[in-house]
Amino acid sequence: MSYLERLDEAQRLLFDEAAALDQRRWDDWLALYTEDCEFWVPAWKSEHAPTADPAGEVSLVYYDSRVGLQERVWRIQSAAAPAHRLLPRTCHAVHNVRLLDATDDRLVVHATWRVDSYKEKTATSLFGYYDYQLAGRPGAWRIARKKITLVSDCVPSYFDVYQV
């Protein structure tokens, strides 16, 4: 499989993930992740350095398996928390996708992103970098690791997995 074919498959997966989040297709979104996935949004420890260890430093969001993501989705869908009673409309833009490394069963991908949200006459925008490790094989890639570096780290009082 050529570099361009692998890059195309990686981009399709990233774009499918963005569409699933924007359309609130939670089961489709979860199905894009491996069982033992890692989903991580590190905090910033200084102006130029994010935290590097989710086990020993502060993270804005951290899940070490798909079970954690499934529990989060359950909370979102249950609307038990006041913040989830009216979800914001979101628009994910994923761009500058680069394939950094590839083997037969692993792809390492970097991209930039921006998510615009709208709720109750208020618009917000968050942006940053995605670093993915995809596992599987051609035609059947899934997300094994997703690190979301939030460049615009002055977040609204509340944000969730569908806004990054």
Side-chain angles (χ1 to χ4, degrees), residues 15-79:
F15 298 159
D16 287 347
E17 181 192 22
L21 287 168
D22 288 340
Q23 297 164 11
R24 300 180 189 166
R25 292 183 286 113
W26 305 115
D27 291 338
D28 293 344
W29 179 66
L30 290 168
L32 298 173
Y33 285 83
T34 62
E35 293 293 328
D36 61 345
C37 69
E38 180 181 72
F39 184 97
W40 180 33
V41 184
W44 286 89
K45 62 182 172 184
S46 72
E47 186 61 30
H48 301 288
T51 56
D53 177 15
E57 296 178 291
V58 175
S59 295
L60 298 176
V61 177
Y62 182 73
Y63 294 106
D64 64 357
S65 72
R66 192 165 78 188
V67 170
L69 291 177
Q70 290 167 324
E71 291 173 358
R72 186 78 216 141
V73 165
W74 179 85
R75 282 187 232 117
I76 292 166
Q77 289 180 307
S78 73

Coordinates of all heavy atoms in Angstrom, one line a residue, residues 15-79:
F15 N -12.0 12.2 9.3 CA -13.2 12.9 8.9 C -14.5 12.2 9.3 O -15.4 12.8 9.7 CB -13.2 13.1 7.4 CG -12.0 13.9 6.8 CD1 -11.6 13.8 5.5 CD2 -11.3 14.8 7.6 CE1 -10.6 14.5 5.0 CE2 -10.3 15.5 7.1 CZ -9.9 15.4 5.8
D16 N -14.5 10.9 9.3 CA -15.6 10.1 9.8 C -15.8 10.4 11.3 O -17.0 10.5 11.8 CB -15.4 8.6 9.6 CG -15.6 8.2 8.1 OD1 -16.1 9.0 7.3 OD2 -15.2 7.0 7.8
E17 N -14.7 10.4 12.1 CA -14.9 10.7 13.5 C -15.5 12.1 13.7 O -16.4 12.3 14.5 CB -13.5 10.7 14.2 CG -13.6 10.9 15.7 CD -12.3 11.1 16.4 OE1 -11.3 11.5 15.7 OE2 -12.3 11.0 17.6
A18 N -15.0 13.1 13.0 CA -15.5 14.5 13.1 C -17.0 14.5 12.8 O -17.8 15.1 13.5 CB -14.8 15.4 12.2
A19 N -17.4 13.8 11.7 CA -18.8 13.8 11.3 C -19.7 13.1 12.4 O -20.8 13.6 12.7 CB -19.0 13.1 9.9
A20 N -19.2 12.0 12.9 CA -20.0 11.3 13.9 C -20.2 12.2 15.1 O -21.3 12.2 15.7 CB -19.3 10.0 14.3
L21 N -19.2 12.9 15.6 CA -19.4 13.8 16.7 C -20.4 15.0 16.4 O -21.3 15.2 17.2 CB -18.0 14.4 17.1 CG -17.1 13.5 17.8 CD1 -15.7 14.1 17.9 CD2 -17.6 13.1 19.2
D22 N -20.2 15.6 15.2 CA -21.1 16.7 14.9 C -22.6 16.2 14.7 O -23.5 17.0 15.0 CB -20.7 17.3 13.6 CG -19.4 18.2 13.7 OD1 -19.1 18.5 14.9 OD2 -18.7 18.4 12.7
Q23 N -22.8 15.0 14.3 CA -24.1 14.5 14.0 C -24.6 13.7 15.2 O -25.7 13.1 15.2 CB -24.1 13.6 12.8 CG -23.8 14.4 11.5 CD -23.4 13.5 10.4 OE1 -23.5 12.3 10.4 NE2 -22.8 14.2 9.3
R24 N -23.8 13.6 16.3 CA -24.2 12.9 17.5 C -24.5 11.5 17.3 O -25.4 10.9 17.9 CB -25.4 13.7 18.2 CG -25.0 15.1 18.6 CD -26.2 15.8 19.2 NE -25.8 17.2 19.3 CZ -26.7 18.1 19.6 NH1 -28.0 17.8 19.8 NH2 -26.3 19.4 19.7
R25 N -23.8 10.9 16.4 CA -23.9 9.4 16.2 C -22.9 8.7 17.1 O -21.8 8.3 16.8 CB -23.6 9.1 14.7 CG -24.7 9.6 13.8 CD -24.4 9.2 12.3 NE -23.4 10.0 11.7 CZ -22.2 9.5 11.4 NH1 -21.9 8.2 11.5 NH2 -21.2 10.3 10.8
W26 N -23.3 8.6 18.4 CA -22.3 8.2 19.5 C -21.8 6.8 19.3 O -20.7 6.5 19.5 CB -23.0 8.4 20.8 CG -23.5 9.7 21.1 CD1 -24.8 10.1 21.2 CD2 -22.8 11.0 21.2 NE1 -24.9 11.5 21.4 CE2 -23.7 12.0 21.4 CE3 -21.4 11.2 21.1 CZ2 -23.2 13.3 21.5 CZ3 -21.0 12.6 21.2 CH2 -21.9 13.6 21.4
D27 N -22.7 5.9 18.9 CA -22.3 4.5 18.7 C -21.3 4.4 17.5 O -20.3 3.6 17.6 CB -23.5 3.6 18.4 CG -24.4 3.4 19.6 OD1 -23.9 3.6 20.8 OD2 -25.6 3.0 19.5
D28 N -21.5 5.2 16.4 CA -20.6 5.2 15.3 C -19.2 5.7 15.8 O -18.2 5.2 15.4 CB -21.1 6.0 14.2 CG -22.3 5.4 13.5 OD1 -22.6 4.2 13.7 OD2 -23.0 6.1 12.8
W29 N -19.3 6.8 16.6 CA -18.0 7.4 17.1 C -17.3 6.4 18.0 O -16.1 6.2 17.8 CB -18.4 8.6 17.9 CG -17.2 9.3 18.5 CD1 -16.1 9.9 17.8 CD2 -16.8 9.4 19.9 NE1 -15.2 10.4 18.7 CE2 -15.6 10.1 20.0 CE3 -17.5 9.1 21.1 CZ2 -15.0 10.5 21.2 CZ3 -16.9 9.4 22.3 CH2 -15.6 10.1 22.3
L30 N -17.9 5.7 18.9 CA -17.3 4.7 19.8 C -16.7 3.6 19.0 O -15.6 3.1 19.3 CB -18.3 4.2 20.8 CG -18.7 5.2 21.9 CD1 -19.8 4.7 22.7 CD2 -17.5 5.5 22.8
A31 N -17.4 3.2 17.9 CA -16.9 2.0 17.1 C -15.6 2.4 16.4 O -14.9 1.4 15.9 CB -18.0 1.7 16.1
L32 N -15.2 3.6 16.3 CA -13.9 4.0 15.7 C -12.7 3.7 16.6 O -11.6 3.8 16.1 CB -14.0 5.5 15.2 CG -15.1 5.8 14.2 CD1 -15.1 7.3 14.0 CD2 -14.8 5.1 12.9
Y33 N -13.0 3.4 17.8 CA -11.9 3.3 18.8 C -11.7 1.8 19.2 O -12.6 1.0 19.2 CB -12.3 4.0 20.1 CG -12.1 5.5 20.0 CD1 -13.0 6.3 19.4 CD2 -10.9 6.1 20.4 CE1 -12.9 7.7 19.2 CE2 -10.7 7.5 20.2 CZ -11.7 8.2 19.6 OH -11.5 9.6 19.5
T34 N -10.4 1.4 19.4 CA -10.1 0.1 19.9 C -10.6 0.0 21.4 O -10.8 1.0 22.0 CB -8.6 -0.2 19.8 OG1 -7.9 0.7 20.7 CG2 -8.1 -0.1 18.4
E35 N -10.7 -1.3 21.8 CA -11.1 -1.5 23.2 C -10.1 -0.9 24.2 O -10.6 -0.4 25.2 CB -11.2 -3.0 23.5 CG -12.4 -3.7 22.7 CD -13.8 -3.3 23.2 OE1 -13.9 -2.9 24.3 OE2 -14.7 -3.2 22.3
D36 N -8.9 -1.0 23.9 CA -7.8 -0.5 24.8 C -7.3 0.9 24.5 O -6.2 1.2 24.8 CB -6.7 -1.5 24.9 CG -6.0 -1.7 23.6 OD1 -6.5 -1.3 22.6 OD2 -4.9 -2.3 23.6
C37 N -8.1 1.7 23.9 CA -7.7 3.0 23.4 C -7.3 3.9 24.5 O -7.7 3.7 25.7 CB -8.8 3.6 22.5 SG -10.3 4.1 23.5
E38 N -6.7 5.0 24.2 CA -6.4 6.1 25.1 C -6.8 7.4 24.4 O -6.6 7.6 23.3 CB -4.9 6.2 25.3 CG -4.5 7.3 26.3 CD -3.0 7.4 26.5 OE1 -2.3 7.8 25.6 OE2 -2.5 7.0 27.6
F39 N -7.6 8.2 25.2 CA -8.1 9.5 24.7 C -7.7 10.5 25.8 O -8.1 10.4 26.9 CB -9.7 9.4 24.7 CG -10.4 10.6 24.2 CD1 -10.8 10.6 22.9 CD2 -10.6 11.7 25.0 CE1 -11.4 11.8 22.4 CE2 -11.3 12.8 24.5 CZ -11.7 12.8 23.2
W40 N -6.8 11.4 25.3 CA -6.2 12.3 26.3 C -6.1 13.7 25.8 O -5.7 14.0 24.7 CB -4.8 11.8 26.5 CG -3.9 12.5 27.4 CD1 -4.3 13.2 28.6 CD2 -2.5 12.7 27.4 NE1 -3.2 13.8 29.2 CE2 -2.1 13.5 28.5 CE3 -1.5 12.2 26.5 CZ2 -0.8 13.8 28.7 CZ3 -0.2 12.6 26.7 CH2 0.2 13.3 27.8
V41 N -6.5 14.7 26.7 CA -6.4 16.1 26.5 C -5.5 16.6 27.7 O -6.0 16.8 28.8 CB -7.7 16.8 26.5 CG1 -7.5 18.3 26.2 CG2 -8.7 16.2 25.5
P42 N -4.2 16.8 27.4 CA -3.3 17.2 28.5 C -3.6 18.7 28.8 O -4.1 19.5 28.0 CB -1.9 17.1 27.9 CG -2.1 17.0 26.4 CD -3.5 16.5 26.2
A43 N -3.3 19.1 30.0 CA -3.3 20.5 30.5 C -2.0 21.1 30.1 O -1.0 20.4 29.6 CB -3.5 20.6 32.0
W44 N -1.8 22.4 30.3 CA -0.6 23.1 30.0 C 0.1 23.3 31.4 O -0.5 23.8 32.3 CB -0.8 24.4 29.3 CG -1.2 24.2 27.9 CD1 -2.4 24.1 27.4 CD2 -0.3 24.2 26.8 NE1 -2.4 23.9 26.0 CE2 -1.0 24.0 25.6 CE3 1.1 24.3 26.7 CZ2 -0.5 23.8 24.4 CZ3 1.7 24.1 25.4 CH2 0.9 23.9 24.3
K45 N 1.4 22.9 31.5 CA 2.1 23.2 32.8 C 2.9 24.5 32.7 O 3.3 25.0 33.7 CB 3.0 22.0 33.1 CG 4.1 21.6 32.2 CD 4.8 20.4 32.7 CE 5.8 19.8 31.7 NZ 6.4 18.6 32.2
S46 N 3.1 25.0 31.5 CA 3.8 26.3 31.3 C 3.3 26.8 30.0 O 2.5 26.2 29.2 CB 5.3 26.2 31.3 OG 5.7 25.6 30.1
E47 N 3.7 28.0 29.6 CA 3.2 28.6 28.4 C 3.5 27.8 27.1 O 2.8 27.9 26.1 CB 3.8 30.0 28.3 CG 3.3 30.9 27.1 CD 1.8 31.1 27.2 OE1 1.2 31.2 28.3 OE2 1.2 31.3 26.1
H48 N 4.6 27.0 27.2 CA 5.0 26.3 26.0 C 5.1 24.8 26.1 O 5.6 24.1 25.2 CB 6.4 26.9 25.5 CG 6.4 28.3 25.2 ND1 5.7 28.8 24.1 CD2 6.8 29.4 25.9 CE1 5.8 30.2 24.1 NE2 6.5 30.5 25.2
A49 N 4.7 24.3 27.3 CA 4.8 22.8 27.5 C 3.5 22.2 28.1 O 3.2 22.6 29.2 CB 6.0 22.5 28.4
P50 N 2.9 21.3 27.4 CA 1.8 20.6 28.0 C 2.3 19.5 28.9 O 3.4 19.2 28.9 CB 1.0 20.0 26.8 CG 2.1 19.8 25.8 CD 3.1 21.0 26.0
T51 N 1.4 19.1 29.8 CA 1.8 17.9 30.6 C 2.1 16.7 29.8 O 1.6 16.6 28.6 CB 0.6 17.6 31.6 OG1 -0.6 17.3 30.9 CG2 0.4 18.7 32.6
A52 N 3.0 15.9 30.3 CA 3.4 14.7 29.5 C 3.0 13.4 30.0 O 3.2 12.4 29.4 CB 5.0 14.8 29.4
D53 N 2.5 13.3 31.2 CA 2.2 12.1 31.9 C 0.8 12.1 32.5 O 0.5 12.7 33.5 CB 3.2 11.8 33.0 CG 2.9 10.5 33.8 OD1 2.1 9.7 33.3 OD2 3.5 10.4 34.8
P54 N -0.2 11.4 31.8 CA -1.6 11.5 32.3 C -1.7 10.8 33.7 O -2.7 11.1 34.4 CB -2.4 10.8 31.2 CG -1.4 10.0 30.4 CD -0.1 10.7 30.5
A55 N -0.8 9.9 34.0 CA -0.9 9.3 35.3 C -0.4 10.1 36.5 O -0.8 10.0 37.6 CB -0.2 7.9 35.3
G56 N 0.5 11.0 36.1 CA 1.2 11.8 37.2 C 1.0 13.3 37.1 O 1.4 14.0 38.0
E57 N 0.4 13.8 36.1 CA 0.1 15.2 35.9 C -1.3 15.5 35.6 O -2.0 14.6 35.2 CB 1.1 15.8 34.8 CG 2.5 15.7 35.2 CD 3.4 16.2 34.0 OE1 3.4 15.5 33.0 OE2 4.0 17.2 34.2
V58 N -1.7 16.8 35.7 CA -3.1 17.2 35.4 C -3.4 17.0 33.9 O -2.6 17.4 33.1 CB -3.3 18.6 35.9 CG1 -4.7 19.1 35.5 CG2 -3.1 18.8 37.4
S59 N -4.6 16.5 33.7 CA -5.1 16.4 32.3 C -6.5 17.1 32.3 O -7.2 17.0 33.3 CB -5.3 14.9 31.9 OG -4.1 14.3 31.8
L60 N -6.9 17.6 31.2 CA -8.2 18.2 31.1 C -9.2 17.1 30.9 O -10.4 17.1 31.4 CB -8.3 19.2 29.9 CG -7.4 20.4 30.1 CD1 -7.5 21.3 28.8 CD2 -7.8 21.2 31.3
V61 N -8.9 16.0 30.1 CA -9.7 14.8 29.9 C -8.7 13.7 29.8 O -7.7 13.8 29.1 CB -10.5 14.9 28.6 CG1 -11.3 13.7 28.4 CG2 -11.4 16.1 28.7
Y62 N -9.0 12.5 30.4 CA -8.2 11.3 30.2 C -9.1 10.1 30.4 O -9.7 9.9 31.4 CB -7.0 11.3 31.1 CG -6.2 10.0 30.9 CD1 -5.4 10.0 29.7 CD2 -6.2 8.9 31.7 CE1 -4.6 8.9 29.5 CE2 -5.5 7.8 31.4 CZ -4.7 7.8 30.3 OH -3.9 6.7 30.0
Y63 N -9.1 9.2 29.3 CA -9.7 7.9 29.4 C -8.7 6.9 28.9 O -8.1 7.1 27.8 CB -11.0 7.9 28.6 CG -12.1 8.8 29.1 CD1 -12.4 10.0 28.4 CD2 -12.8 8.4 30.2 CE1 -13.4 10.8 28.9 CE2 -13.8 9.3 30.8 CZ -14.0 10.5 30.1 OH -15.0 11.3 30.6
D64 N -8.6 5.8 29.6 CA -7.6 4.8 29.2 C -8.2 3.6 28.6 O -7.5 2.6 28.4 CB -6.7 4.4 30.4 CG -7.5 3.7 31.5 OD1 -8.7 3.6 31.4 OD2 -6.9 3.3 32.5
S65 N -9.4 3.7 28.2 CA -10.1 2.6 27.5 C -11.4 3.1 26.8 O -11.9 4.1 27.2 CB -10.4 1.4 28.4 OG -11.5 1.7 29.3
R66 N -11.9 2.2 26.0 CA -13.2 2.6 25.3 C -14.3 2.5 26.4 O -15.3 3.3 26.2 CB -13.5 1.7 24.1 CG -14.6 2.2 23.3 CD -14.7 1.6 22.0 NE -15.3 0.3 22.1 CZ -15.4 -0.6 21.1 NH1 -14.9 -0.3 19.9 NH2 -16.0 -1.8 21.3
V67 N -14.2 1.8 27.4 CA -15.2 1.7 28.5 C -15.4 3.1 29.1 O -16.5 3.5 29.3 CB -14.8 0.7 29.6 CG1 -15.7 0.8 30.8 CG2 -14.9 -0.7 29.0
G68 N -14.3 3.8 29.3 CA -14.4 5.2 29.8 C -15.1 6.1 28.8 O -16.0 6.9 29.3
L69 N -14.8 6.0 27.6 CA -15.6 6.8 26.6 C -17.0 6.4 26.5 O -17.9 7.2 26.4 CB -14.9 6.6 25.2 CG -13.6 7.2 25.0 CD1 -13.0 6.9 23.6 CD2 -13.6 8.7 25.2
Q70 N -17.3 5.1 26.7 CA -18.7 4.6 26.7 C -19.5 5.2 27.9 O -20.6 5.6 27.7 CB -18.8 3.1 26.7 CG -18.4 2.5 25.4 CD -18.1 1.0 25.5 OE1 -17.6 0.5 26.5 NE2 -18.4 0.3 24.4
E71 N -18.8 5.2 29.0 CA -19.5 5.8 30.2 C -19.7 7.3 30.0 O -20.7 7.9 30.4 CB -18.6 5.6 31.4 CG -18.6 4.2 31.9 CD -17.6 3.9 33.0 OE1 -16.9 4.8 33.4 OE2 -17.5 2.7 33.4
R72 N -18.8 8.0 29.3 CA -18.9 9.4 29.1 C -20.1 9.7 28.1 O -21.0 10.5 28.4 CB -17.7 10.0 28.4 CG -17.7 11.5 28.2 CD -17.4 12.2 29.5 NE -18.2 13.4 29.6 CZ -18.7 13.8 30.7 NH1 -18.6 13.2 31.9 NH2 -19.4 14.9 30.7
V73 N -20.2 8.8 27.1 CA -21.3 8.9 26.2 C -22.7 8.7 26.9 O -23.7 9.4 26.6 CB -21.1 8.0 24.9 CG1 -22.4 7.8 24.2 CG2 -20.0 8.5 24.0
W74 N -22.7 7.7 27.8 CA -23.9 7.4 28.5 C -24.3 8.7 29.3 O -25.5 9.0 29.3 CB -23.7 6.2 29.5 CG -24.9 6.0 30.3 CD1 -26.0 5.2 29.9 CD2 -25.3 6.5 31.5 NE1 -27.0 5.2 30.8 CE2 -26.6 6.0 31.9 CE3 -24.6 7.4 32.4 CZ2 -27.2 6.4 33.1 CZ3 -25.3 7.7 33.6 CH2 -26.5 7.2 33.9
R75 N -23.4 9.3 29.9 CA -23.7 10.6 30.7 C -24.2 11.7 29.8 O -25.1 12.4 30.1 CB -22.5 11.0 31.5 CG -22.2 10.2 32.7 CD -21.1 10.8 33.6 NE -20.2 9.8 33.9 CZ -18.9 9.8 33.5 NH1 -18.4 10.8 32.8 NH2 -18.1 8.7 33.7
I76 N -23.6 11.8 28.6 CA -24.1 12.8 27.6 C -25.5 12.5 27.2 O -26.3 13.4 27.2 CB -23.1 12.8 26.4 CG1 -21.7 13.4 26.8 CG2 -23.7 13.7 25.3 CD1 -20.6 13.2 25.8
Q77 N -25.8 11.3 26.8 CA -27.1 10.9 26.3 C -28.2 10.9 27.4 O -29.3 11.2 27.1 CB -27.0 9.5 25.7 CG -26.3 9.5 24.4 CD -26.3 8.1 23.8 OE1 -25.9 7.1 24.5 NE2 -26.7 8.0 22.6
S78 N -27.8 10.6 28.7 CA -28.8 10.6 29.7 C -29.3 12.0 30.1 O -30.4 12.1 30.6 CB -28.2 9.9 31.0 OG -27.3 10.8 31.6
A79 N -28.6 13.0 29.8 CA -28.9 14.4 30.1 C -29.2 14.6 31.6 O -29.9 15.5 32.0 CB -30.1 14.8 29.3

